[in-house]
Amino acid sequence: MTMTHAIRIERTGGPEVLQWQDVNLSDPGPGEVRVRHGAIGVNFIDVYHRTGLYPLQLPAGIGLEAAGTVEAVGDGVDHLKPGDRVAYCNGPTGAYAQARVMPARVLVKLPDDIAFDTAAAMMLKGLTAQFLLRRTRKLQAGDVALFHAAAGGVGLIAGQWARALGVKLIGTAGSDEKCQLALKNGYAHCINYRTEDLVSRVKELTDDKGVAVVYDSVGRDTWERSLACLQPFGLMVSFGNASGPVPPVTLTDLAAKGSLYVTRPTLMTHIADRATLEQMAQELFDMVRSGQVKPLIGQRFALRDAAQAHAALEARATTGSIVLLP
């Protein structure tokens, strides 16, 4: 058993509950591997775990996404060996660590030409973009959709991916600077929600038709306006709660607004099957290696400064992805 360092929480709350601690690192057991992290991704789901919106059994590690090198493998692990470069984004929680022991089944091999920090910036966000654009509704060239938080980590990858598919994405962001960043990353239009009326601007951009799909990770603050942007038979994809949980859905409202569809998908459901995880990851890697998707790392923090990263993320003061360096 060796000693390492990790960020852990003993109670829920603000960024201050993230504690830098010494932890014991055991040898991997059956079906497990020990991974030495090269970079760790920060995602809004980490905030949900920290605040208790998505409860964890405390005390607990935190973080779902990282990339690194396999140091040791346990019995029964035949698809990985020491020295393999790997990445993951599907838990269990505990990625905010210099090294950890974890189930081998959640790891995918990382191509040699994708750096650890790039992988940590793109696994959860890139696979989220993949299931949104390619699985929740398989968008086709010419489709028009609305994507909130266009300058965030998922949003920037989605914009580039949509451009490669020939899909017209309308983005939203909270400043002109963030809108310009979104436009540089594949968006056909970007609406500054602080200075423009979202619904009227979407209707203007779509000749009053509305969009086929809304992708909304903001939640409570955008819910009603998102529904108002949809065309008849449109699909509302709620995949996050950055501003808080959405209000209860009244089915008669969906009927009155045009026979709308609503779904609340999660990445974890999509990648629960290992064969599907491998297929989705390969498609993401192919997009990155082709140059059609270039993940943007907007901020880097030392692992021990994870609280600062969370504070910046919650203040919506970030662009692209946040990476922690062990």
Side-chain angles (χ1 to χ4, degrees):
M1 185 171 291
T2 58
M3 187 71 71
T4 189
H5 294 91
I7 297 288
R8 294 182 60 80
I9 58 172
E10 297 181 351
R11 59 185 175 87
T12 58
E16 71 279 358
V17 305
L18 298 173
Q19 300 180 18
W20 177 254
Q21 295 183 355
D22 295 333
V23 295
N24 290 319
L25 193 64
S26 63
D27 292 329
E32 294 180 331
V33 298
R34 188 172 70 236
V35 179
R36 177 68 53 180
H37 288 152
I40 299 145
V42 176
N43 299 281
F44 228 100
I45 192 172
D46 305 343
V47 174
Y48 302 156
H49 285 146
R50 192 204 74 220
T51 61
L53 179 63
Y54 296 173
L56 297 175
Q57 185 174 349
L58 301 178
I62 194 168
L64 291 170
E65 176 183 40
T69 305
V70 174
E71 288 190 328
V73 302
D75 291 342
V77 177
D78 54 12
H79 66 288
L80 295 171
K81 64 182 184 304
D84 281 347
R85 303 174 77 252
V86 293
Y88 65 92
C89 65
N90 46 338
T93 58
Y96 289 17
Q98 293 174 327
R100 66 183 300 202
V101 173
M102 61 185 307
R105 59 179 171 77
V106 305
L107 297 164
V108 295
K109 287 187 179 180
L110 184 66
D112 291 340
D113 53 354
I114 297 179
F116 287 143
D117 58 352
T118 299
M122 77 178 194
M123 285 298 294
L124 192 146
K125 301 168 190 70
L127 291 179
T128 297
Q130 197 277 348
F131 88 73
L132 291 174
L133 301 180
R134 305 295 289 155
R135 292 173 62 85
T136 304
R137 175 176 288 184
K138 197 166 186 177
L139 295 181
Q140 307 292 330
D143 286 341
V144 182
L146 176 67
F147 206 105
H148 288 294
V154 177
L156 292 177
I157 292 175
Q160 296 174 60
W161 206 319
R163 177 172 56 190
L165 295 172
V167 172
K168 180 180 177 181
L169 272 192
I170 301 170
T172 72
S175 70
D176 290 342
E177 292 76 16
K178 287 187 175 183
C179 278
Q180 287 301 313
L181 181 61
L183 293 172
K184 291 178 181 178
N185 283 270
Y187 285 82
H189 305 280
C190 188
I191 300 167
N192 183 340
Y193 60 79
R194 298 188 190 278
T195 61
E196 301 178 87
D197 182 79
L198 173 63
V199 178
S200 62
R201 186 73 175 116
V202 167
K203 292 299 178 70
E204 178 185 346
L205 292 170
T206 60
D207 296 326
D208 210 37
K209 295 177 182 176
V211 296
V213 187
V214 175
Y215 298 102
D216 191 337
S217 62
V218 178
R220 181 177 55 208
D221 289 354
T222 52
W223 177 255
E224 293 296 335
R225 287 175 291 166
S226 292
L227 291 176
C229 290
L230 285 166
Q231 61 189 226
F233 309 109
L235 173 64
M236 175 68 182
V237 183
S238 175
F239 69 101
N241 317 282
S243 66
V246 301
V249 178
T250 303
L251 295 183
T252 53
D253 285 349
L254 300 181
K257 293 178 185 295
S259 299
L260 303 181
Y261 296 87
V262 174
T263 185
R264 181 53 171 95
T266 70
L267 174 61
M268 302 313 164
T269 306
H270 281 274
I271 61 177
D273 173 71
R274 178 160 182 84
T276 303
L277 167 62
E278 292 277 5
Q279 178 268 318
M280 292 172 62
Q282 188 59 57
E283 186 172 353
L284 173 62
F285 295 157
D286 289 346
M287 293 295 290
V288 172
R289 298 172 82 186
S290 73
Q292 295 180 93
V293 169
K294 298 178 181 178
L296 170 66
I297 301 173
Q299 300 76 207
R300 290 178 172 86
F301 294 85
L303 174 58
R304 65 166 60 241
D305 295 329
Q308 296 179 29
H310 274 226
L313 181 61
E314 288 182 277
R316 301 189 187 182
T318 64
T319 55
S321 299
I322 302 173
V323 169
L324 303 176
L325 300 177

